[in-house]
Amino acid sequence: MTDISDEVDNNSSKVTVTKDHVKRLIKHLAEVGIPNTETMIAIGGQAYRILEANKDLIHESIEHIPHYSAQNRDNGKDGHWDTEKVHQLLQQI
């Protein structure tokens, strides 16, 4: 979330993201040569939800993968990112 909003807080639920933030992200991606016809991959559910809520600004699809956090515990290890699971998700995208 802080990557979208420029607000720095390790608790993403305290970060406010607006349509203007998404507009700036899209503009920045264009400035670095990434067209809005590419699939956007959000890392984490909250980033995905804000991008999906502003889908009118994004011309191609939006996908997401899990964020590295303590909430990603499918393999029984606290805070361990399941690289195989994420790799499979990326292959599907």
Side-chain angles (χ1 to χ4, degrees):
M1 296 301 287
T2 57
D3 294 339
I4 296 174
S5 76
D6 72 8
E7 212 173 306
V8 177
D9 194 317
N10 64 355
N11 184 345
S12 61
S13 65
K14 295 180 181 180
V15 176
T16 302
V17 181
T18 66
K19 188 171 199 133
D20 189 51
H21 290 117
V22 177
K23 285 180 183 178
R24 283 187 280 178
L25 172 65
I26 300 304
K27 181 180 179 219
H28 173 72
L29 293 174
E31 290 170 349
V32 297
I34 301 171
N36 61 3
T37 55
E38 297 295 332
T39 298
M40 185 174 285
I41 302 172
I43 300 175
Q46 288 186 310
Y48 175 76
R49 285 188 291 279
I50 190 65
L51 293 172
E52 186 67 27
N54 291 282
K55 196 171 187 170
D56 59 312
L57 301 173
I58 302 163
H59 295 247
E60 198 52 49
S61 65
I62 305 164
E63 302 289 341
H64 83 285
I65 60 173
H67 192 280
Y68 174 79
S69 70
Q71 296 175 3
N72 187 15
R73 297 181 183 179
D74 291 351
N75 61 5
K77 297 179 182 176
D78 290 344
H80 180 77
W81 205 35
D82 186 336
T83 54
E84 185 58 36
K85 175 183 169 183
V86 173
H87 177 75
Q88 289 174 5
L89 288 171
L90 289 170
Q91 292 299 313
Q92 291 172 10
I93 294 170

